[in-house]
Amino acid sequence: MVLQRRLDYGFSGYEVPVVPRASRSPRGRVPIRKKHDNNRIRAIEILACVAGELLQDTGNSSPNAACREEWDNIFENTTKCKQGHHQRYKEGEAKLSKTDSCEQEICEENFTCEFSHVPGLQGHHQSYKVNEFSHAHENFGFKTNSTSYFADQRAYVNEKCASGSCLDRAGGYSPNTLGFFRGHVDSVIETKSESKLSTFLIRQSDKISFAEQWPYFNGRSVSKGPFGKVVRDAPFRGQVDSVTERKYEAKPSIIRSSKSGIFPVKGSLDMVELNLKPPSLVRPKSNLKASSFRRWKTRGSFSRRCANVEVDSRDVDENSVRCPQPSRPSPNILDQSIRNFSVSRHWRGASNLKRGACRRTDWKWKPAYFNGRSCHTRQRSQRISPYRRRKVFDRSSLSTLDGRFHCKPTFNSSNKRSNDDNCTAGATNEASSSAAGRQAVPDSTSGDCNVKLSIKSFKVPELLIEIPATATIGSLKVSDIALFAFLWRAVMEAVTANLGEGLHVGVVLQGKSVRDDNKTLLQTGICHDEDHHSLGFILEPNHAPIRSHPHAEDPHLLSGSRPQGLMRRAMSFALQPKPSDVCSLPPVMNLGSSVDNSFDVVCSLADISTNNAMPDSQALVAVPAITMEALPVVPLRQKSGHPEFVQRRTRRPFSVSEVEALVQAVEELGTGRWRDVKLRAFDSAKHRTYVDLKDKWKTLVHTARISPQQRRGEPVPQQLLDRVLAAHAFWSHHQAKQQSHYHFKAASSELIKDA
DNA sequence: ATTAGGG
DNA sequence: CCCTAAT
């Protein structure tokens, strides 16, 4: 039992006695837990570490040896497990018998994902037969582990197991997953689209081609000869007939790894999109969608009028990063963003939708370095101590994380000459009349003039994605490289709190937004490398004031108390010409390196409400081409997630109006009915939970008791604080009375009983 | 799921 | 804000 201190604030309203207060949770002092903060690992550091590992196929002299060791263990365990399951799988054993081994659990999770989600990405193929699975596995050549990785990604992206254990492994590019296959995967290429995220694990030794992987993940067989024509086969035709017709104009593209040389990876953007189907068509809004992705989408949309309060939108969070010069962002910006993104823990509530509605259970990049928590908890010896982790992911692994990585638009040397003219012409046309555009480009030129965007960073083997010049802007948006997505997501995290409801991806060329998704790169002039175009992607709020009204404020983001403080951010990535003297990129292998200009990818945050982000704001349009579902995001922590990587919620200080609403509600309801307070005053403020309100009340009481000089943050009017103290005193007294009444009743009943 | 309280 | 015991 805790004795409440006597209130002594000089308020005459209520006499506050020293009242015993029953504690519902009398807890003794617990041993000081290791601060989670100590265990935080910057996601980007993990990434860097993993990326480094990817490059180090041999040797353990790496500074990340500990990291490697960790993953080695993980990999071994899981591989064992997976192989066992795979074997049974091949035997047609649809249901696995669960054993008690740790590996078994991991495998179980993997297996579940594979079985349930790999083929039935969109819910159409769940009737696949076991032997077909096996077949697919073998064709992948990745063995079970890689397959499962891919499967997990897909499973997650398609929201098929948001509450299942596979979420645990659906960490997107989670470094653990990468590390998981360290040494077995040469490259990771990821593409995303409106309805799915695709990750390709490229394993050189197995000569696995991306074309070979697709068929089974998409429930459709797609085979393609080297640089040849795409041949589609639909072994599961009956189950994939709802496949969307949406296709991209892109011709088959080539994805190579410069490290691997002529990489036998063949794929095409159009193939990637073959089975695309808008989620809404694939299935009606599912619970999962509503629970997981919608939350993600609408995160930050908290500035709604509550029952009694107009919640402020604190768009300028102290955690956010400012970029006063969006056009020339500091090299540190990305780094800062990523640091802010620093992951400490995951959101909770993945499996608790109701709670999730109150708590911010938005997506989080889940950089858990290990997927199978059960194994982790049982094999503590494999865990990396906080200290060790910090060491492992020390700055040495961040050497390339200077906020930029290098991109190199190139042209296929074999085609360049014959198509330069075409490219130039197209670009010129577009440059002179960007709005005109849309001239049909003869197909004969389409396949030859390719724009290759490569991103290299984090010591990862250079990934090169080659996109035909006739690819559409829309296809650009859905065909990013994994690293790009990495950064995207990282920065997303840093800025999401400042963004409104929903986000859009825009493509910006030389500061101008390319409004027409159907324009080809050629028409837009992106393929015209001589001009040193700056190609950028911008992520902007859904309700961004669209340009014709640059200063129009989104009513949803308006803060009742201080509208002038409204600031919203757009995040953009841009390929910027890099000074030639800084160019230190190795030539892109097998591409002739005919173009020597390198580009930096820079990330910038900008206040878009003042149009600082876009030199030509008039040209900026909201691009609805991609939705949040398409972004490589991973929701929240899951039960089995590694506890060390739970993301902390973004701090959102209570505004004065919120405080007022809280005080009002507490005055009416008391201090012990936080749920009611929540419902009454903060029902529509999804980011305020009753726990938050309770906490805020606690701090309010504290604030009211300390001297104004000691107070921090946005000052709360003294009058409000007085009300806080008064209400607190009153309800404390009330509670005490009730309690004594209860005790009295109990005692009297005892007496009666005794009598 | 809520409440209460420590960190 | 987080965590968690106790309801």
Side-chain angles (χ1 to χ4, degrees):
Chain A
M1 189 167 291
V2 177
L3 289 183
Q4 186 178 22
R5 265 193 305 180
R6 182 187 183 92
L7 296 180
D8 184 22
Y9 51 90
F11 182 70
S12 58
Y14 306 98
E15 178 66 20
V16 183
V18 180
V19 290
R21 186 166 190 168
S23 169
R24 295 184 59 159
S25 57
R27 283 181 302 174
R29 246 188 141 60
V30 292
I32 295 178
R33 223 171 353 110
K34 282 207 169 95
K35 277 289 190 185
H36 281 274
D37 290 12
N38 293 338
N39 296 336
R40 288 184 190 176
I41 300 175
R42 294 189 185 108
I44 206 65
E45 293 177 278
I46 305 174
L47 167 61
C49 176
V50 176
E53 290 298 311
L54 283 172
L55 265 188
Q56 294 160 359
D57 292 334
T58 59
N60 49 11
S61 59
S62 128
N64 299 327
C67 200
R68 165 190 300 275
E69 181 186 331
E70 173 81 357
W71 286 325
D72 274 336
N73 293 331
I74 295 165
F75 179 77
E76 269 179 29
N77 288 333
T78 311
T79 302
K80 264 189 295 180
C81 162
K82 293 299 298 181
Q83 283 170 347
H85 276 287
H86 183 48
Q87 189 56 38
R88 266 171 293 177
Y89 208 156
K90 291 179 70 172
E91 295 166 4
E93 193 173 331
K95 184 156 187 170
L96 294 177
S97 61
K98 191 165 183 174
T99 73
D100 57 352
S101 76
C102 149
E103 292 83 2
Q104 181 67 45
E105 280 192 28
I106 300 173
C107 192
E108 194 79 17
E109 294 180 3
N110 287 341
F111 181 77
T112 301
C113 287
E114 290 171 11
F115 185 74
S116 309
H117 306 290
V118 174
L121 293 173
Q122 298 170 342
H124 295 291
H125 317 299
Q126 295 190 358
S127 59
Y128 277 176
K129 290 169 186 152
V130 169
N131 57 350
E132 285 171 336
F133 274 102
S134 303
H135 182 57
H137 281 222
E138 294 187 334
N139 271 337
F140 290 139
F142 278 109
K143 307 257 166 79
T144 48
N145 46 10
S146 296
T147 301
S148 105
Y149 169 63
F150 194 98
D152 290 338
Q153 302 289 332
R154 299 299 305 259
Y156 164 70
V157 167
N158 288 281
E159 310 171 45
K160 298 292 289 184
C161 53
S163 61
S165 57
C166 61
L167 249 194
D168 193 33
R169 340 190 91 260
Y173 313 96
S174 96
N176 61 325
T177 317
L178 295 184
F180 198 84
F181 303 108
R182 183 192 48 69
H184 302 266
V185 176
D186 293 313
S187 305
V188 177
I189 297 176
E190 178 158 329
T191 65
K192 59 179 185 286
S193 66
E194 284 188 14
S195 65
K196 71 187 177 203
L197 169 71
S198 309
T199 303
F200 306 95
L201 298 181
I202 311 303
R203 184 175 180 180
Q204 184 183 11
S205 58
D206 282 351
K207 299 288 185 279
I208 296 308
S209 84
F210 139 34
E212 285 169 342
Q213 295 178 59
W214 267 108
Y216 300 97
F217 289 123
N218 286 304
R220 169 182 290 203
S221 175
V222 179
S223 59
K224 186 171 86 66
F227 307 92
K229 195 176 174 183
V230 176
V231 179
R232 289 182 210 123
D233 175 24
F236 311 122
R237 188 173 291 107
Q239 294 162 337
V240 297
D241 48 8
S242 59
V243 161
T244 183
E245 289 307 310
R246 177 182 170 199
K247 293 172 186 173
Y248 289 94
E249 302 172 20
K251 295 294 183 186
S253 62
I254 303 155
I255 300 178
R256 299 178 185 178
S257 163
S258 64
K259 177 176 178 255
S260 307
I262 302 178
F263 201 66
V265 173
K266 304 166 289 293
S268 66
L269 294 174
D270 51 353
M271 286 168 61
V272 169
E273 298 303 326
L274 274 181
N275 289 323
L276 254 185
K277 191 176 184 75
S280 57
L281 296 180
V282 171
R283 63 190 183 287
K285 282 182 183 174
S286 67
N287 290 334
L288 289 177
K289 181 182 180 72
S291 64
S292 175
F293 281 84
R294 195 179 56 73
R295 282 201 302 274
W296 196 90
K297 253 182 114 171
T298 59
R299 63 176 297 168
S301 62
F302 55 92
S303 48
R304 295 198 185 120
R305 189 172 281 276
C306 303
N308 294 333
V309 62
E310 190 167 22
V311 182
D312 275 1
S313 170
R314 299 305 202 78
D315 291 289
V316 185
D317 191 287
E318 59 210 56
N319 295 333
S320 63
V321 181
R322 283 172 175 274
C323 176
Q325 294 175 304
S327 58
R328 280 216 155 287
S330 154
N332 291 327
I333 285 175
L334 179 57
D335 192 39
Q336 289 174 14
S337 301
I338 290 167
R339 283 169 199 283
N340 283 326
F341 166 72
S342 143
V343 173
S344 65
R345 65 193 73 185
H346 294 287
W347 290 119
R348 62 172 59 200
S351 58
N352 188 330
L353 301 188
K354 184 174 177 187
R355 183 181 191 130
C358 289
R359 305 202 62 146
R360 252 186 26 155
T361 53
D362 314 315
W363 68 273
K364 283 290 180 280
W365 181 15
K366 191 178 180 207
Y369 64 94
F370 177 55
N371 290 323
R373 181 183 73 108
S374 54
C375 185
H376 237 297
T377 54
R378 296 182 191 184
Q379 299 183 345
R380 296 189 69 85
S381 62
Q382 288 190 0
R383 301 179 68 157
I384 302 178
S385 70
Y387 166 76
R388 186 177 163 196
R389 277 188 212 148
R390 243 206 298 280
K391 194 173 178 184
V392 163
F393 302 113
D394 210 346
R395 295 197 67 81
S396 60
S397 62
L398 290 172
S399 56
T400 61
L401 296 178
D402 58 351
R404 61 181 59 191
F405 52 102
H406 313 297
C407 289
K408 189 172 191 174
T410 60
F411 287 81
N412 191 321
S413 60
S414 60
N415 299 324
K416 185 182 192 333
R417 170 179 287 275
S418 60
N419 295 286
D420 245 354
D421 289 345
N422 286 329
C423 289
T424 305
T428 305
N429 286 343
E430 282 308 308
S432 61
S433 170
S434 62
R438 311 304 300 269
Q439 304 100 323
V441 178
D443 267 357
S444 57
T445 69
S446 59
D448 294 325
C449 182
N450 289 337
V451 180
K452 296 166 186 167
L453 306 177
S454 70
I455 300 175
K456 56 181 300 177
S457 179
F458 310 126
K459 304 179 194 176
V460 165
E462 180 171 318
L463 300 179
L464 177 65
I465 181 166
E466 183 175 351
I467 307 171
T470 52
T472 62
I473 293 299
S475 71
L476 257 190
K477 296 173 184 174
V478 298
S479 62
D480 295 330
I481 302 176
L483 281 174
F484 205 106
F486 263 133
L487 297 173
W488 190 290
R489 186 154 71 189
V491 182
M492 276 290 298
E493 169 59 23
V495 301
T496 297
N498 300 320
L499 296 175
E501 181 167 346
L503 298 166
H504 286 315
V505 172
V507 173
V508 181
L509 182 62
Q510 284 190 323
K512 273 185 161 183
S513 175
V514 183
R515 57 173 62 194
D516 192 343
D517 279 5
N518 297 319
K519 255 184 201 172
T520 68
L521 303 186
L522 192 68
Q523 291 170 328
T524 315
I526 290 177
C527 77
H528 191 41
D529 60 294
E530 283 84 357
D531 284 347
H532 281 232
H533 285 305
S534 189
L535 172 63
F537 295 84
I538 184 169
L539 197 61
E540 58 180 348
N542 221 351
H543 299 291
I546 305 299
R547 315 350 169 167
S548 45
H549 309 289
H551 299 291
E553 302 208 61
D554 182 351
H556 293 290
L557 284 174
L558 272 181
S559 160
S561 59
R562 36 192 209 83
Q564 75 287 357
L566 179 63
M567 293 256 287
R568 281 183 298 149
R569 302 286 178 72
M571 182 202 66
S572 62
F573 286 97
L575 306 183
Q576 292 189 341
K578 190 183 173 192
S580 56
D581 55 318
V582 189
C583 177
S584 59
L585 295 177
V588 179
M589 294 186 68
N590 301 305
L591 292 177
S593 304
S594 58
V595 181
D596 197 32
N597 54 340
S598 294
F599 281 59
D600 284 340
V601 171
V602 293
C603 168
S604 62
L605 302 177
D607 171 11
I608 62 173
S609 66
T610 55
N611 293 320
N612 286 336
M614 293 298 118
D616 183 358
S617 61
Q618 297 295 327
L620 185 60
V621 297
V623 185
I626 195 166
T627 62
M628 284 304 98
E629 287 91 340
L631 291 177
V633 295
V634 173
L636 48 141
R637 170 177 68 175
Q638 197 224 7
K639 256 185 188 170
S640 50
H642 197 283
E644 316 293 355
F645 293 93
V646 182
Q647 172 69 54
R648 190 187 181 99
R649 287 196 297 166
T650 306
R651 188 168 171 273
R652 284 170 153 175
F654 276 69
S655 65
V656 172
S657 54
E658 280 181 296
V659 169
E660 189 166 2
L662 177 59
V663 171
Q664 170 95 24
V666 173
E667 282 174 343
E668 298 168 6
L669 298 171
T671 53
R673 301 166 61 188
W674 299 112
R675 181 176 170 275
D676 293 335
V677 170
K678 155 77 178 170
L679 292 177
R680 171 174 293 219
F682 292 84
D683 195 26
S684 51
K686 300 306 179 191
H687 62 298
R688 303 293 190 201
T689 69
Y690 45 73
V691 175
D692 292 332
L693 303 180
K694 183 261 303 174
D695 287 343
K696 179 57 183 175
W697 185 259
K698 182 174 63 176
T699 61
L700 273 177
V701 171
H702 178 256
T703 300
R705 288 169 173 170
I706 62 178
S707 69
Q709 291 77 24
Q710 293 176 286
R711 298 168 188 165
R712 295 181 301 175
E714 188 177 10
V716 178
Q718 184 60 42
Q719 173 245 353
L720 216 45
L721 293 176
D722 290 342
R723 287 171 65 191
V724 167
L725 290 178
H728 184 259
F730 174 81
W731 286 109
S732 296
H733 188 234
H734 185 264
Q735 207 167 38
K737 268 200 327 193
Q738 279 211 329
Q739 213 136 66
S740 58
H741 183 60
Y742 169 80
H743 286 310
F744 169 78
K745 280 186 69 174
S748 58
S749 65
E750 285 294 316
L751 286 174
I752 293 171
K753 232 193 297 180
D754 288 347

